[in-house]
Amino acid sequence: MKALTIPFFLLLHFICTSQKKYPTNYFRNPLDIPIYLTGSFGELRSNHFHAGIDIKTQGKEGLHVYAASDGYVSRIKVQQFGYGKAIYITHPNGYTSVYGHLKKFNDKIEKYVKSVQYQKENYATGNLYLKEDKFPISKGDIIAYSGDTGGSGGPHLHFEIRNTATESIINPLLFGLEVTDHIPPTIRTLKAYTLSDDARINQQKKSFQIPIKKLNNGNYIADRISASGLIGFGVDVFDLFDKMPNKNGIYSLEMKVNGKRVYYHTMETFTFSNSKFLNLHIDYEHYKKYKRRFQKTHKHPLNQLSIYKSLINDGKITIENGFNYTVEIIAKDYMENTVKVRVPIAGKKSNLLFEPQQDTTNYYLDRKKFTKFHLNKVSVAFPKNTFYDNLFLDLKQEDNIVHIHNATVPLNRNFTLTFDVTSYTKEEKEKLYIANLEYPKYPRYQYTRKKDSTFFTTSKTLGKYTLLLDNEDPKIDILYFKNEQWISNFKTIKVKINDEGSGIKDWKATLDGTWILMEYNHKKKILTYNFSDKKLVGSKHIFKLVVSDNVGNTNSVSRTFYKKQLN
């Protein structure tokens, strides 16, 4: 039988036993059909770790998704981004399974969710928390159909296991779910870091990449380096599953110095609240500049992730003059496929003197204090503990653009940016918004709160910001039929919408004067209404759509069509 040719591959059987930390054989595949993953647990994502596994659906939507075990639907959420349409099933043995990016729910759940959407006249439902008797579930029940909703990058099933009491996320592979993986991780690059003022690597006081060479056995060796003082390392590493091109995350990373473990972490479990510390786990500056993530084998003192084990001096290595060291960094995937890189080091004290770099900016920031800076008609306020480290802030204003340091520094909390808008007319203020200029060709709308004389926003990203005017209405294009046309065989109405300024904020559609649900695929920019939602009366019908952007520009369209109700 070919892998993944029938929908049963999404049936993950739940074996209720709690005798071990994570019950083995917690999941099994009853049809012995290989499960292929396109995303691993703990994979490095933008500002967070991946909280589940992504199960391949061959690029298709609409495959059956079955309940992993007995329990009840405890929560449903429908949102434009994030997990899109998601179901949470609470099981009697202390765990909750989560299914995300769904196309739709089973008939009974779909009917309930749509009743909420029509009652609220809104696509997004918020969190719908349910009692045990609302939707009891038996193992193997069809609960939904796989899809591509929310922040998905393509059709797949996002699957999670959580501790019901604590909401901690746990790697599903720890419960015995088998995947096909015989390929060891790949180490692309090695990087060395000087971690103290007197530290030197190859007579240099800076961090840089070290060439590595692949050996016949699949492992790597680095060029010999000389060093002194406190140093650390990082690796750009990824893992592949069998027959899958996706570059996934690893399960564990270990570092030994002269055979002794000084650093170790595993992707076993973490909490959503601590996921943001990924930005301290990686070389964030390198990532923002070059879009490559180096996982550091040394820990920042404010990093609160629970993934670390057996750390000695937080993984930082002290190199003494006249001694030789062998550093070995070991990466593994969950199936124990292993790759290593060996780094020979000669302890050699440098006689070169480096003058400490003096930062001459006027904006020193103590991370433990609230700090507010003022420029011409702009102010920037940083609450306590916004930053992880003290720094001299680069802050300037050129024309209408404010430069707040640069985006290579990660933040722990939001800062507030305020613009004085007294020089703008009342009409201009209505169409004015704050934009992030990280990508100048594509300014990104920042949620802008408006007062008479000031506009302000909050953000967790440093960089360039400005005020922009948006006087353009959103664009609307009804697809596939014209005014006064018969469309009896149509199952849906599809409309393409777009706004190149502040972006789409909202839309409202009516059919014969009554609100209807239109689902928005933000990737394709298409709204869709399904005729099965409402029984039509008569043959002549009027469809109306109003679309608004984030500064209140609106556009509307109305179209008459003829359609007979088909049984």
Side-chain angles (χ1 to χ4, degrees):
M1 182 183 293
K2 254 189 173 180
L4 307 180
T5 56
I6 60 176
F8 287 119
F9 81 100
L10 291 179
L11 175 55
L12 304 173
H13 274 274
F14 198 111
I15 298 178
C16 292
T17 174
S18 56
Q19 302 302 311
K20 299 181 180 180
K21 183 179 180 182
Y22 301 117
T24 57
N25 292 324
Y26 202 67
F27 295 96
R28 66 179 176 85
N29 185 347
L31 299 181
D32 294 324
I33 298 172
I35 289 178
Y36 293 110
L37 302 186
T38 59
S40 60
F41 180 84
E43 201 168 281
L44 308 178
R45 301 287 176 88
S46 180
N47 301 315
H48 70 283
F49 292 97
H50 188 222
I53 57 174
D54 290 339
I55 301 175
K56 181 179 172 63
T57 61
Q58 291 187 323
K60 299 176 182 178
E61 298 184 53
L63 300 184
H64 292 175
V65 178
Y66 296 81
S69 181
D70 297 346
Y72 69 97
V73 177
S74 54
R75 178 178 164 195
I76 299 170
K77 188 173 185 180
V78 177
Q79 58 183 332
Q80 190 59 53
F81 298 97
Y83 291 173
K85 296 183 179 182
I87 282 183
Y88 300 70
I89 297 179
T90 294
H91 304 284
N93 59 351
Y95 295 97
T96 296
S97 54
V98 184
Y99 314 76
H101 305 308
L102 305 169
K103 181 177 183 179
K104 63 178 183 177
F105 309 106
N106 71 21
D107 291 345
K108 190 181 293 186
I109 298 174
E110 183 80 4
K111 182 178 179 181
Y112 166 74
V113 171
K114 284 203 171 181
S115 71
V116 173
Q117 291 172 313
Y118 273 88
Q119 181 183 1
K120 293 184 174 183
E121 295 191 355
N122 199 327
Y123 171 75
T125 62
N127 285 308
L128 304 176
Y129 293 102
L130 307 172
K131 296 182 178 179
E132 294 185 37
D133 58 353
K134 182 68 175 179
F135 294 115
I137 295 293
S138 297
K139 178 174 63 178
D141 286 351
I142 296 174
I143 57 171
Y145 301 86
S146 66
D148 185 27
T149 57
S152 166
H156 70 278
L157 175 69
H158 174 87
F159 182 73
E160 288 180 20
I161 293 292
R162 300 184 185 181
N163 180 304
T164 303
T166 66
E167 280 282 296
S168 294
I169 320 104
I170 305 164
N171 192 333
L173 300 186
L174 290 165
F175 299 91
L177 179 63
E178 295 182 2
V179 296
T180 307
D181 183 7
H182 299 90
I183 305 172
T186 297
I187 297 176
R188 282 196 283 213
T189 321
L190 174 72
K191 194 170 181 181
Y193 301 84
T194 54
L195 302 178
S196 61
D197 289 339
D198 64 343
R200 304 288 184 270
I201 300 175
N202 288 348
Q203 307 295 315
Q204 301 179 68
K205 182 177 170 39
K206 65 178 182 178
S207 304
F208 56 91
Q209 295 182 41
I210 297 173
I212 58 175
K213 180 174 67 175
K214 193 169 187 178
L215 304 174
N216 292 334
N217 62 5
N219 292 322
Y220 300 84
I221 187 167
D223 291 350
R224 177 180 291 273
I225 62 174
S226 64
S228 62
L230 199 64
I231 70 170
F233 291 95
V235 288
D236 177 9
V237 57
F238 67 87
D239 186 45
L240 295 175
F241 293 109
D242 289 8
K243 301 182 181 179
M244 293 289 104
N246 307 71
K247 293 181 173 64
N248 303 294
I250 58 174
Y251 177 71
S252 71
L253 190 64
E254 179 181 15
M255 182 172 68
K256 296 179 179 180
V257 179
N258 293 340
K260 183 178 181 179
R261 176 192 283 181
V262 299
Y263 174 91
Y264 185 59
H265 86 253
T266 62
M267 294 315 305
E268 178 180 316
T269 181
F270 60 87
T271 63
F272 282 111
S273 61
N274 283 347
S275 191
K276 65 180 180 180
F277 292 109
L278 171 138
N279 290 335
L280 292 180
H281 175 74
I282 66 171
D283 184 335
Y284 187 81
E285 180 179 3
H286 190 101
Y287 166 66
K288 294 299 287 186
K289 287 180 177 179
Y290 307 110
K291 302 306 176 187
R292 287 284 184 90
R293 294 183 176 95
F294 279 83
Q295 299 194 54
K296 295 184 292 187
T297 54
H298 53 281
K299 178 176 171 287
H300 189 284
L302 296 183
N303 188 341
Q304 297 178 29
L305 284 170
S306 60
I307 64 175
Y308 305 106
K309 302 174 178 66
S310 305
L311 299 189
I312 296 177
N313 197 28
D314 284 336
K316 300 168 185 176
I317 308 168
T318 301
I319 303 297
E320 297 184 12
N321 187 42
F323 290 87
N324 292 322
Y325 302 82
T326 299
V327 170
E328 191 174 48
I329 300 173
I330 306 156
K332 295 182 181 180
D333 60 28
Y334 184 78
M335 301 304 292
E336 296 284 326
N337 299 305
T338 303
V339 66
K340 304 175 183 179
V341 58
R342 184 160 52 89
V343 190
I345 304 173
K348 184 178 180 181
K349 189 171 180 61
S350 173
N351 294 320
L352 296 176
L353 296 178
F354 290 83
E355 290 293 330
Q357 292 184 351
Q358 297 294 326
D359 199 318
T360 58
T361 75
N362 296 320
Y363 306 103
Y364 177 73
L365 197 144
D366 184 336
R367 69 172 188 85
K368 294 182 179 180
K369 297 180 180 179
F370 171 83
T371 309
K372 189 173 184 178
F373 299 118
H374 296 273
L375 298 173
N376 180 31
K377 293 192 174 184
V378 175
S379 66
V380 192
F382 299 98
K384 291 189 295 184
N385 299 316
T386 298
F387 290 83
Y388 295 110
D389 298 289
N390 301 337
L391 81 160
F392 284 94
L393 197 73
D394 290 321
L395 186 62
K396 63 181 178 180
Q397 187 175 358
E398 295 178 339
D399 298 325
N400 198 36
I401 299 175
V402 56
H403 301 249
I404 309 171
H405 208 70
N406 59 71
T408 63
V409 177
L411 300 186
N412 181 49
R413 300 180 63 183
N414 286 318
F415 66 91
T416 300
L417 172 64
T418 303
F419 284 86
D420 183 326
V421 293
T422 53
S423 62
Y424 292 89
T425 66
K426 180 180 178 182
E427 291 74 19
E428 287 174 328
K429 290 178 188 177
E430 290 178 355
K431 307 301 179 183
L432 197 66
Y433 67 96
I434 301 173
N436 176 286
L437 298 179
E438 183 174 1
Y439 304 102
K441 290 185 178 180
Y442 306 99
R444 186 171 71 248
Y445 171 83
Q446 288 285 133
Y447 176 59
T448 305
R449 281 161 278 191
K450 299 184 177 183
K451 296 182 179 180
D452 287 341
S453 59
T454 59
F455 287 5
F456 68 98
T457 189
T458 58
S459 177
K460 220 174 179 181
T461 303
L462 301 173
K464 299 178 184 178
Y465 290 85
T466 191
L467 289 170
L468 293 178
L469 281 167
D470 179 5
N471 291 305
E472 297 294 323
D473 293 338
K475 294 180 173 58
I476 304 175
D477 183 19
I478 297 180
L479 305 177
Y480 310 129
F481 73 92
K482 299 178 181 179
N483 198 39
E484 302 283 344
Q485 182 177 333
W486 278 91
I487 59 171
S488 293
N489 292 323
F490 280 38
K491 294 182 179 180
T492 60
I493 295 175
K494 290 185 179 292
V495 183
K496 189 164 188 176
I497 62 175
N498 189 33
D499 187 88
E500 295 182 355
S502 58
I504 300 293
K505 179 182 180 182
D506 200 8
W507 59 91
K508 181 180 180 180
T510 60
L511 185 57
D512 300 333
T514 303
W515 185 89
I516 57 174
L517 174 67
M518 297 203 79
E519 299 192 9
Y520 184 44
N521 184 320
H522 63 272
K523 296 179 279 287
K524 297 180 180 178
K525 301 180 179 179
I526 291 178
L527 289 166
T528 302
Y529 168 69
N530 196 312
F531 280 114
S532 64
D533 282 5
K534 178 182 178 182
K535 187 173 183 179
L536 299 176
V537 178
S539 58
K540 182 178 180 180
H541 307 283
I542 299 175
F543 169 75
K544 291 184 178 179
L545 175 67
V546 179
V547 180
S548 59
D549 64 18
N550 280 294
V551 296
N553 297 308
T554 62
N555 195 3
S556 62
V557 67
S558 178
R559 190 158 293 183
T560 299
F561 65 89
Y562 298 89
K563 179 177 174 65
K564 291 181 179 179
Q565 184 72 37
L566 300 179
N567 296 325

